[in-house]
Amino acid sequence: MSGLGRRIWWSGGMAAVGLALWGAWQLGALNWLWEENHPARPVVEALSWVAGIVGLILGMVTLVVSLRQLRSHPPAAEGAALRPSSNSAGKYVVDVQDSRGVQIGDDNAQTNHFDR
């Protein structure tokens, strides 16, 4: 399954869960959450604490993994621009020559004197 298909299924699933929660809220199925003496309330509160802690741990793990990936694959050095090879140059390739002359496409030369 492609990345786009996976995103569509994930988004659709999240929308379905949200719609189900909204429907349960509207029908009053979640009113027991406000009752202080309901027997399920401590369980739900404990699960929310566990979910919060697990979320923090997962966030830290993903941060560490992303930082390690950045260290193992450093970004290209600044100023090191990729230039097309001479045999694949197209009509509108710009070649800057020592900050004065610019060669654009069909052997048209334009000089720019920035020091004047």
Side-chain angles (χ1 to χ4, degrees):
M1 187 182 302
S2 70
L4 181 61
R6 204 173 284 150
R7 274 191 218 153
I8 290 172
W9 276 103
W10 179 255
S11 299
M14 294 302 290
V17 167
L19 185 63
L21 284 173
W22 178 81
W25 188 285
Q26 293 299 318
L27 294 174
L30 300 176
N31 287 341
W32 59 271
L33 288 172
W34 282 269
E35 296 176 13
E36 247 183 78
N37 298 327
H38 195 277
R41 185 170 174 139
V43 174
V44 173
E45 287 183 7
L47 288 175
S48 71
W49 275 93
V50 170
I53 292 170
V54 168
L56 283 173
I57 291 171
L58 285 176
M60 294 300 293
V61 167
T62 56
L63 179 66
V64 168
V65 167
S66 67
L67 289 175
R68 282 189 175 187
Q69 285 179 350
L70 280 176
R71 285 187 188 150
S72 66
H73 302 294
E78 291 183 31
L82 298 175
R83 299 182 131 205
S85 63
S86 60
N87 59 359
S88 67
K91 183 176 180 181
Y92 300 106
V93 173
V94 176
D95 185 22
V96 178
Q97 302 167 352
D98 67 17
S99 76
R100 287 183 178 243
V102 177
Q103 182 70 33
I104 305 174
D106 301 327
D107 296 328
N108 297 324
Q110 172 186 355
T111 57
N112 297 318
H113 297 284
F114 297 113
D115 55 345
R116 291 183 195 171

